[in-house]
Amino acid sequence: MTARRSRHRSAAYATLALGLAGSLALTGCNSHSSKKSKKSKKSSSSSSSSSKSKKRKIIGGGAAAAGAGAASRRVPDCYPSTYKLTFSQQAGPKSHVAVKFKNSTSRDCKLYNAPLLRFNNAKDPLPLSQGTPGHLDGTRITVPAHGYAYAVIPTNTAATKGTEQKSVAVDFMGISASSVTHGPATVNFAEKRLHISVGKSKVTNWSSSIHGAQLAGGVGN
């Protein structure tokens, strides 16, 4: 073998070695890049899943809060009690008995239709001037906290004025024709030194103002 051939083969081997080294380096680089890409995808997927989970939690929490808010806004029924009810007799050509209810709580409450009034332990309540217990007109008012509601019993004729009563038992009507809220509450007129005369009369529905109740009973101005 001549020196020229030896040099030629050495150069060829060196070129082949450099080519193989470059190929291996490229393969390692591609493998490392692929691993990084997979890790990046996994991280992105995990982040997206976490974000969705957080959104679901926020949405769920918002719905629960809205439900709690709606529950807190429900207005309860008003309940009768002796210290919340006042009766007063008005004289003159438009004589009537005014029934006043005070909501002594710090929360609004609802009243339906009219008060059910049984004077002197009567079996049946005083008739309603706007409908009957079985055929109601659907009146419902909200009495604000520490606010008032009124009903009127006209007593402007001899028959409607009748005789002086000793007491009255009061029930509040419920949402349906046959239901009543808790009661009755009994008001003793003698104990309160009240002179209340009621005969064959009727009671109006509840109203947010005494003037509205008087108009409904035909004794307003």
Side-chain angles (χ1 to χ4, degrees), residues 82-137:
T82 302
Y83 67 90
K84 294 179 180 179
L85 292 162
T86 305
F87 289 77
S88 59
Q89 184 99 45
Q90 307 297 321
K94 294 186 176 181
S95 173
H96 62 276
V97 172
V99 185
K100 181 170 73 173
F101 166 76
K102 179 181 180 180
N103 178 11
S104 59
T105 71
S106 58
R107 188 178 180 183
D108 297 354
C109 67
K110 296 191 299 288
L111 284 172
Y112 302 94
N113 300 290
L116 296 179
L117 308 173
R118 292 178 173 84
F119 288 95
N120 288 356
N121 298 316
K123 180 181 177 181
D124 298 317
L126 202 67
L128 310 182
S129 64
Q130 296 159 275
T132 65
H135 299 84
L136 307 178
D137 66 356

Side-chain angles (χ1 to χ4, degrees), residues 127-202:
L128 310 182
S129 64
Q130 296 159 275
T132 65
H135 299 84
L136 307 178
D137 66 356
T139 294
R140 182 177 73 175
I141 68 169
T142 297
V143 187
H146 306 294
Y148 297 88
Y150 305 85
V152 158
I153 307 166
T155 56
N156 52 351
T157 67
T160 57
K161 189 170 184 179
T163 58
E164 190 169 318
Q165 307 294 318
K166 295 179 181 179
S167 65
V168 62
V170 185
D171 278 303
F172 285 174
M173 301 180 75
I175 192 169
S176 66
S178 60
S179 67
V180 295
T181 58
H182 293 193
T186 300
V187 179
N188 190 312
F189 297 137
E191 287 181 358
K192 293 181 178 292
R193 298 181 181 180
L194 296 173
H195 300 281
I196 304 296
S197 295
V198 175
K200 295 180 179 180
S201 188
K202 296 181 178 181

Side-chain angles (χ1 to χ4, degrees), residues 50-70:
S50 175
S51 176
K52 287 180 181 178
S53 178
K54 285 180 180 179
K55 284 182 180 179
R56 282 196 294 270
K57 286 181 180 179
I58 292 170
I59 292 170

